[in-house]
Amino acid sequence: MELHTPIEKISRLSDLQKKGLNKLQIKSVLDLLLYFPARYSDISTVTNIGDIEAGIPITLFGVIKNLKTKKSFHTKVTMAEGTLEDLTGKISLVWFNQPYIAKMLHDGDNVMISGTANIQKNGTFSIVNGNIQKQEGLPIDIHDSLFQKENVSNYKFGAPIYKETKGISSLWIQKTLEKIFNEKIHTQVTDPIPEYILKKYSLPDIQKALLWIHRPEKKEHAEAARKRFSFQEIFLIQVARTKEKEESKKDGSYGIHTEEKILQEFIDNLPFEPTDAQINAMNAVVEDLKKTHPMSRLLEGDVGSGKTVVAALATYATIKTRPKNQKFGTLQVAYMAPTEILATQHFESFIEFFKGTGIQIALITGSGCRKFPTKVASATKPWTTISRTQLSKWVEQGEISVVVGTHALIQKSVVFKHLALAIVDEQHRFGQKQRRALAKKTSVNSSVSPHFLSMTATPIPRTLALTIYGDLDITLLDQLPSGRKKVQTEIITEKTREEMYSKIKEEIKNGRQLYVICPRINDPDESDEIKLIAKSVETEAKRLKKEIFKNESIGVLHGKMTPQKKEQVMEEFSNGKIQILVATSVVEVGVNVPNANMMIIEGAERFGLAQIHQLRGRTKRGSHQAYCFLLADAKQQKTVDRLQALVDTDDGFKLAELDLEQRGTGELAGFKQWGVSDIAMEALRNIKLVEAARNEAQKIIADDFELQKNPLLKEKVEEIKEMHFE
Ligand code: ADP
Ligand code: MG
């Protein structure tokens, strides 16, 4: 057996197991060694049903029975119910709005459930919306240790629990790993982290860490091993990013020194007073533009913080300035947005910002091209349609100085004469390849790279930003223009649900529209997850139609629909044909629907705070007061406390930090999309660790740019580059 031996060579596999391993992307012995436990069974919170006390978080193991789904008589909400039994007693389990629970499980299944017990009117206990996991057998002989409490003290630290999939249980993984450890194959794994770094931060070497993460004898072992692997991932990403940043400094760019007078002229012509945050950002950008290597700056700011005007000033400064020692006319700017609608909106804002200046602006999207100004302008349509060939010609000749567009912009046929600044809006919606294609777009007859400004409204914690955007300088627009209305956010319980519906009906009568977001579902199987969510969306839409909104028109939007169908529904919601849109959180509702000023979020406790914040941002696109209703199980005080932050603050970045702080919500926080593994997420809670990784990465790159002295590190960095950057 070696590290690269396929698993099927060391263990006989059924078809189901092969499929399962494939899904988990485990092919070789090494892959399995690097498949880390999600957590460890922790004896300290495991309780006998007979010993339950109300209000304390507990974990129970037992057999589930009497599963059924029904509708609550009063509130008409779907409920799943069951009973959990162990040798010491029974407890009832209830889930609201999660009908799929009953489908996921079967009577007689062994399960583990975590939650907080409540006392019911009749004196018995129940757990509402507990987190349930099917167990294939019990991962450790819990019952023995439970029923002989005196054993608990010599109980070794818990067994590892892995994320499972059909055919592959934690138990199977443990047994297979046992074979691998018995043959000491883990000692063949080499360490990409230089030894002096491990010493400096007291991290175990990779061989010890592998043993400790899979077979900890005590809690400290598991913790040290996890810390090591989370440091490793952050460190590798940092090395890759730092290298990239240094590489880009070798590129040349136009040094643009804009006269103060020109900047002032732009500010004076604005219809509003810029915020301090905007001024800071503008200054940072103006300074960057002066450099003769490309700026790479990320502007992070909540929806409505006014990022567009910063982009507009950068554009104005670029076009109105002749670079040092150059004789030719205007420089050019490219501005890319992820959707046609957004690109068109930016084109229109730029027309507003630049009218009367003579600056030539064009729009390019899949549906065609436009140009401003034009001799055939009318009051409602200041631009004219042009052909793509015309656009290409004028851009190549340098006559059009600003080109706004979708990714149509990065096509080879669009050639610039003197591209000096490239801007990407909503940068996270683009792949790294597309962003890079724009950032590296050079001009005819010139090898100069454009300055690069990217913008995002996605609130993420600072540690995550430092890591994944390690190659960028970051500016935060942490201030909304004054007088901006907040989304009025309320936590709704089953008691106040009816009241909420009445209020919404009133608003709908006045012409407003409503989003209903259905709960997230964490099914280990992704395609099952999409199916289950689609189903819950359909079910909720039917329920609302039948019981609450009998006279309103309701549409649905979910991942099982074709793109055409989705587009059609969005169009109908946009033009008001549909008044209520029931959707999943994952469906991008990228369109501006100013009339939709209300949002219900079902199962709000299942979402990260920052994610809810982003969702609710969609309700304030118009001039109407916006409302967000958070439906959660209010019996759990902790849940309410957590969601209260959404009532209290409107700062998405603060909410993202809170998400990170709150242990146990890692799964819910929606960080997965950033391509950082669960284990690295653990490091992101720790700013010191992230800064340490960053410092060490910078030192290594400064000293050994090509990583010739660190070949193992080099290899790993290449791997991680492929994973994170493409
Ligand atoms: P985002 O950061 O979401 O891209 P926008 O740039 O689209 O925000 O700005 C949102 C709205 O706020 C626009 O209508 C813009 O004109 C306006 N705006 C931007 N800055 C200010 C300001 N300092 N004062 C008042 N309104 C502003
Ligand atoms: Mg914007």
Side-chain angles (χ1 to χ4, degrees), residues 271-275 278 301-309 346 353 425-426 457 477 481-482 484:
F272 47 73
E273 197 62 31
T275 64
Q278 282 170 325
D302 246 346
V303 172
S305 58
K307 294 182 290 294
T308 318
V309 68
H346 289 328
F353 285 128
D425 193 21
E426 306 286 343
L477 276 191
S482 59
R484 210 37 73 70

Side-chain angles (χ1 to χ4, degrees), residues 37 72 82 222 333 353 356 374 436 440 552 594 685 712 725:
S72 143
V333 178
F353 285 128
T374 167
R436 184 169 314 199
K440 302 278 174 202
E552 289 79 3
R685 293 175 188 284
L712 284 172
F725 299 173

Side-chain angles (χ1 to χ4, degrees), residues 462-478:
R462 198 162 85 84
T463 47
L464 181 57
L466 281 178
T467 303
I468 58 177
Y469 301 134
D471 55 332
L472 306 174
D473 298 312
I474 300 178
T475 305
L476 202 57
L477 276 191
D478 53 359

Side-chain angles (χ1 to χ4, degrees), residues 85-281:
E85 283 186 32
D86 70 8
L87 292 178
T88 67
K90 284 185 200 178
I91 181 168
S92 57
L93 308 173
V94 185
W95 294 268
F96 289 108
N97 283 314
Q98 301 175 38
Y100 47 88
I101 293 265
K103 297 194 183 83
M104 228 163 70
L105 299 166
H106 298 102
D107 281 2
D109 279 347
N110 280 321
V111 298
M112 181 188 82
I113 179 155
S114 311
T116 308
N118 309 292
I119 297 199
Q120 306 184 97
K121 279 202 192 98
N122 64 9
T124 62
F125 289 104
S126 74
I127 293 180
V128 179
N129 290 351
N131 185 324
I132 193 156
Q133 273 190 347
K134 212 158 130 177
Q135 305 288 316
E136 224 165 282
L138 296 177
I140 47 174
D141 204 354
I142 275 292
H143 288 96
D144 272 356
S145 47
L146 264 185
F147 298 137
Q148 303 163 24
K149 276 274 172 178
E150 63 274 19
N151 279 354
V152 169
S153 53
N154 1 341
Y155 175 77
K156 281 188 178 177
F157 181 64
I161 299 177
Y162 297 87
K163 222 171 262 165
E164 305 181 341
T165 187
K166 280 181 209 134
I168 301 297
S169 66
S170 278
L171 207 61
W172 182 90
I173 296 177
Q174 285 174 39
K175 289 205 167 126
T176 315
L177 279 170
E178 200 171 308
K179 290 185 203 167
I180 298 171
F181 282 115
N182 284 346
E183 292 200 28
K184 302 222 180 317
I185 307 300
H186 66 289
T187 59
Q188 297 171 19
V189 181
T190 47
D191 208 326
I193 307 184
E195 209 181 316
Y196 70 87
I197 295 182
L198 295 176
K199 282 232 172 76
K200 188 164 169 189
Y201 300 101
S202 311
L203 300 168
D205 66 50
I206 199 161
Q207 294 157 10
K208 196 185 269 173
L210 283 170
L211 194 64
W212 281 1
I213 202 164
H214 291 293
R215 320 177 90 192
E217 277 177 15
K218 43 186 183 182
K219 208 170 175 176
E220 291 73 27
H221 282 177
E223 280 169 358
R226 299 188 82 82
K227 186 172 163 197
R228 185 231 133 90
F229 286 115
S230 60
F231 178 92
Q232 173 172 325
E233 187 169 329
I234 303 291
F235 174 69
L236 292 174
I237 299 175
Q238 295 280 10
V239 172
R241 293 298 201 197
T242 309
K243 191 160 188 290
E244 185 145 308
K245 186 172 191 169
E246 289 307 310
E247 258 157 20
S248 84
K249 283 189 186 157
K250 292 180 189 159
D251 293 342
S253 66
Y254 296 110
I256 303 166
H257 295 252
T258 307
E259 280 176 64
E260 195 63 32
K261 172 176 113 219
I262 288 174
L263 300 172
Q264 196 57 49
E265 188 176 286
F266 179 83
I267 301 283
D268 289 345
N269 280 328
L270 287 177
F272 47 73
E273 197 62 31
T275 64
D276 290 347
Q278 282 170 325
I279 299 268
N280 282 343

